[in-house]
Amino acid sequence: MSNQLSELLELAIPLPLTASFRQQANSYAAQFFTANTRHRMYFNSLAVLVADVYLRLLGFETDLTKPERWNAVHRLWSEGNEIELLGLGNLECCLISLEQQSVVLPVEIESDRPLIGYLFVEIDRSEKVATLMGFLPTIHPESVDSEMQITTLKSMDDLIDYLTEQETSILNRTDEIRDLNFEFSEGITINYLKNWLNNIYEMGWQPAKRNLTNVTAKKELQLGGQTFELELVISQRNQELLFVEVIIRCQNAYLPIGMQVSVPDESDIYTQTVEFQADLISIPLEFRSGEEFWIELRLNQSAIREYFIA
Amino acid sequence: MDELELNRQLQLLIQEACSSGDNAQRRKAMHNLLRLLLTQGILQRTSQGAYAEFHEEALSKIMFKLSNTLCDKYDLNRASPLSWIKTCYRNQLKDEIRAANRQRKKLSLINIENHPELHPVQSDITITDETLELRQWIIKDPDGVLSNCCIRDNPKANCHLLARLHIVQQREWREIAEEIGVSSNTLRSHWSRKCKFLIQNWFREDNDLLGKN
């Protein structure tokens, strides 16, 4: 056994699988149509449930109790075996066996939340014990859809460090949002969406479409040597509420993998990352009249922000 | 590892889990403490008989009790960590057994045969009517909503075929991509942005129409 693997095993933790977990996994798997999928979903769900226990034991907040999480129709039978860590993103649970030399990272994930890592779980034949073996962070977008040697997995200690660091950086980013008012008062350029409704466009914004209910405006932005098109579709629901759909496209056919688009989301920041080939990102938002917000495009080390008042 | 050494290690870990100012250190101490309990045979299944089935449930609950109350409730001057944890586990196991007996008694008063819903092990949730309705709609696509929505210049890669392969036959994207001859990323992107929306829309409208929402 290699050194890396024995180090991994030294920190791996075996946890009990209760009868209620087996029952819940069974109920969820039974909603799938084919025997193979049912079998896979049963074991995947056991992994998800036991990983959830572990994360909660260490004081992380998760959200597996939402009933829709266990409703296959609601999820349109997506096979994402994710745990949402509140405020941090999703941790994808993957089954593993010790005989395996390598792991293939799943590509079947469909979620609105950012994927922050993969957790590898081994389920004992008895189905009464599951061992959390190690993890991989999603810092390299190119690693998606690729095969990794089992010896490259990080230990459970590394997982604790990684998630705790993520928590701290989220707290710092929340402070950034608190500074938003400050930023708005520092003489930055602000786009007033109400002007667009009155046909006034400034600062590089161009009207694109207009009908009885919507106004669409576009602007070209340069970032990391590429040209992006930021499009906002605005519709006024009533005097108080404005619905804004943010759409980002690239002049090349596809958005670059790893590119991020962020918007403030109440007391947090919502970020969507391009994880696979896609030709656009679309984020629906709702604002009260007069509310301040921004849209940030980030590619590698460069970022660009546009500021708005609804 | 002998009992003396186990107690020494547990004491160190409790101290670290309860007093470290660093979140990651505290969590690592809790991880090591739980790992020690679970790998050193401290909280083993006490019997092979009818009560053995409660072991995992008791173990799971005791871990949460430890993680939530260890720093407030444990007093080193009153008991060694090992005997305190073992007592907690035994008590939890007794609670589990009592609760199960109460449930059995309650059920034996009613004829379970006539009330399957009262059986402690729920029957599996199987495929529901609404699931079948949705599946039928996908298979038939009566208005052509799904088949009309395809990847640019590739009518074969349409939502109808994707939904049949992905939802009804539950094939993996890799396989579907090979069959259609489009990259799996492009397929999933089209699926997430267009097809899912169409299906969810129909499902919502259908539920609204039937007053299910």
Side-chain angles (χ1 to χ4, degrees):
Chain A
M1 193 182 292
S2 71
N3 279 346
Q4 291 104 314
L5 195 57
S6 53
E7 228 177 273
L8 209 65
L9 291 175
E10 219 156 86
L11 289 160
I13 184 164
L15 293 161
L17 284 173
T18 64
S20 57
F21 285 179
R22 290 191 290 277
Q23 192 182 319
Q24 187 170 354
N26 218 358
S27 298
Y28 183 55
Q31 299 172 53
F32 285 76
F33 297 123
T34 64
N36 274 348
T37 324
R38 286 177 185 213
H39 184 260
R40 190 165 63 240
M41 291 317 293
Y42 171 72
F43 286 102
N44 282 342
S45 302
L46 286 181
V48 166
L49 288 164
V50 80
D52 175 65
V53 162
Y54 175 75
L55 292 163
R56 286 191 291 124
L57 281 170
L58 294 196
F60 292 103
E61 276 186 78
T62 63
D63 200 359
L64 267 201
T65 47
K66 278 186 194 163
E68 59 265 29
R69 168 64 181 77
W70 300 101
N71 181 334
V73 180
H74 189 270
R75 294 170 59 96
L76 280 187
W77 295 274
S78 67
E79 283 201 30
N81 299 296
E82 79 287 351
I83 294 179
E84 183 191 353
L85 284 152
L86 294 182
L88 299 184
N90 286 349
L91 195 59
E92 180 76 10
C93 298
C94 312
L95 291 180
I96 194 175
S97 81
L98 272 181
E99 295 86 54
Q100 262 174 261
Q101 299 290 315
S102 61
V103 289
V104 178
L105 300 180
V107 294
E108 308 278 317
I109 305 160
E110 291 154 20
S111 172
D112 300 334
R113 285 179 297 274
L115 178 69
I116 55 170
Y118 304 89
L119 179 60
F120 296 89
V121 185
E122 192 208 19
I123 293 180
D124 187 76
R125 273 167 214 267
S126 66
E127 294 171 31
K128 292 194 168 171
V129 181
T131 305
L132 308 191
M133 302 291 296
F135 101 109
L136 277 176
T138 42
I139 43 172
H140 304 296
E142 66 270 21
S143 67
V144 173
D145 205 3
S146 68
E147 198 170 337
M148 311 283 284
Q149 289 304 303
I150 202 164
T151 48
T152 57
L153 298 194
K154 309 262 182 209
S155 73
M156 293 304 288
D157 249 15
D158 294 327
L159 173 72
I160 296 173
D161 280 334
Y162 176 70
L163 293 180
T164 312
E165 266 168 37
Q166 296 271 318
E167 247 179 9
T168 319
S169 83
I170 292 287
L171 283 176
N172 292 341
R173 292 188 78 187
T174 311
D175 286 343
E176 264 180 41
I177 298 188
R178 289 203 192 96
D179 292 341
L180 187 67
N181 288 337
F182 174 74
E183 284 185 46
F184 269 87
S185 63
E186 283 298 289
I188 48 149
T189 318
I190 299 168
N191 300 290
Y192 290 88
L193 300 189
K194 289 271 166 67
N195 282 350
W196 297 1
L197 295 172
N198 294 321
N199 253 331
I200 304 164
Y201 299 90
E202 292 170 310
M203 291 167 300
W205 284 94
Q206 299 292 332
K209 255 185 255 164
R210 195 178 178 94
N211 59 32
L212 282 175
T213 51
N214 293 336
V215 171
T216 305
K218 290 179 178 180
K219 183 177 184 175
E220 282 192 355
L221 297 170
Q222 301 294 327
L223 179 68
Q226 300 192 49
T227 308
F228 295 92
E229 185 186 77
L230 176 57
E231 180 179 305
L232 263 64
V233 186
I234 302 167
S235 50
Q236 190 152 21
R237 290 278 160 88
N238 52 46
Q239 283 296 78
E240 276 303 303
L241 279 182
L242 207 63
F243 180 78
V244 180
E245 188 179 6
V246 179
I247 301 164
I248 293 100
R249 292 189 185 84
C250 184
Q251 267 197 344
N252 301 330
Y254 295 111
L255 293 167
I257 303 277
M259 179 191 176
Q260 293 188 316
V261 179
S262 305
V263 289
D265 179 13
E266 298 193 354
S267 61
D268 206 343
I269 293 177
Y270 170 78
T271 300
Q272 207 165 311
T273 306
V274 182
E275 278 160 7
F276 51 84
Q277 218 168 52
D279 50 12
L280 60 78
I281 276 184
S282 159
I283 306 173
L285 299 165
E286 203 170 59
F287 296 104
R288 286 182 305 281
S289 176
E291 200 172 336
E292 300 159 344
F293 70 100
W294 44 259
I295 300 164
E296 183 182 277
L297 276 60
R298 185 175 283 275
L299 182 60
N300 304 323
Q301 299 307 314
S302 359
I304 190 165
R305 250 188 207 194
E306 284 279 318
Y307 293 85
F308 303 88
I309 289 185
Chain B
M1 206 181 287
D2 64 19
E3 208 158 291
L4 203 68
E5 177 57 17
L6 266 176
N7 266 323
R8 197 187 66 82
Q9 288 204 19
L10 285 171
Q11 256 177 41
L12 285 174
L13 290 169
I14 292 172
Q15 207 171 9
E16 206 175 339
C18 296
S19 61
S20 172
D22 182 301
N23 265 348
Q25 282 312 109
R26 267 207 316 272
R27 282 170 171 158
K28 281 182 196 170
M30 184 53 76
H31 168 97
N32 288 330
L33 191 145
L34 295 172
R35 194 176 180 280
L36 204 60
L37 295 177
L38 295 162
T39 55
Q40 294 296 316
I42 298 167
L43 304 177
Q44 271 180 328
R45 207 178 285 273
T46 47
S47 69
Q48 290 300 317
Y51 297 144
E53 63 184 285
F54 303 109
H55 170 72
E56 282 79 25
E57 205 69 53
L59 204 52
S60 186
K61 287 195 180 137
I62 215 65
M63 290 192 305
F64 276 104
K65 273 196 181 159
L66 282 179
S67 137
N68 293 332
T69 63
L70 183 70
C71 301
D72 301 327
K73 296 261 173 78
Y74 174 63
D75 181 358
L76 181 60
N77 300 318
R78 293 181 61 187
S80 72
L82 213 47
S83 56
W84 183 69
I85 292 168
K86 280 184 175 173
T87 311
C88 287
Y89 168 74
R90 271 198 303 272
N91 291 341
Q92 187 64 47
L93 194 63
K94 280 182 202 156
D95 282 352
E96 294 300 321
I97 294 166
R98 264 189 230 119
N101 284 342
R102 268 201 304 275
Q103 180 74 1
R104 276 184 193 138
K105 233 180 236 169
K106 205 162 116 192
L107 290 170
S108 68
L109 295 175
I110 311 162
N111 185 352
I112 296 177
E113 295 297 310
N114 297 332
H115 299 271
E117 75 279 6
L118 295 174
H119 197 273
V121 178
Q122 268 177 18
S123 55
D124 289 343
I125 299 167
T126 41
I127 295 167
T128 59
D129 284 351
E130 59 180 17
T131 310
L132 290 175
E133 256 172 54
L134 180 62
R135 186 161 81 154
Q136 274 312 100
W137 179 76
I138 289 170
I139 293 170
K140 288 186 180 160
D141 187 23
D143 309 316
V145 178
L146 297 175
S147 32
N148 287 335
C149 182
C150 62
I151 293 177
R152 216 177 322 169
D153 306 327
N154 193 342
K156 196 182 169 193
N158 63 65
C159 292
H160 187 215
L161 182 63
L162 295 187
R164 276 188 299 143
L165 295 176
H166 182 57
I167 291 186
V168 182
Q169 296 180 22
Q170 281 166 346
R171 305 251 301 267
E172 291 191 27
W173 284 122
R174 278 180 233 267
E175 284 174 33
I176 301 175
E178 262 173 43
E179 185 169 326
I180 299 183
V182 176
S183 89
S184 112
N185 281 336
T186 311
L187 277 189
R188 284 187 301 128
S189 168
H190 182 67
W191 174 258
S192 303
R193 291 183 298 103
K194 303 277 174 60
C195 309
K196 271 174 87 171
F197 174 77
L198 291 175
I199 298 170
Q200 278 160 342
N201 219 20
W202 178 83
F203 192 59
R204 207 168 26 238
E205 277 171 13
D206 184 58
N207 276 342
D208 283 348
L209 200 68
L210 299 173
K212 290 178 194 163
N213 283 338

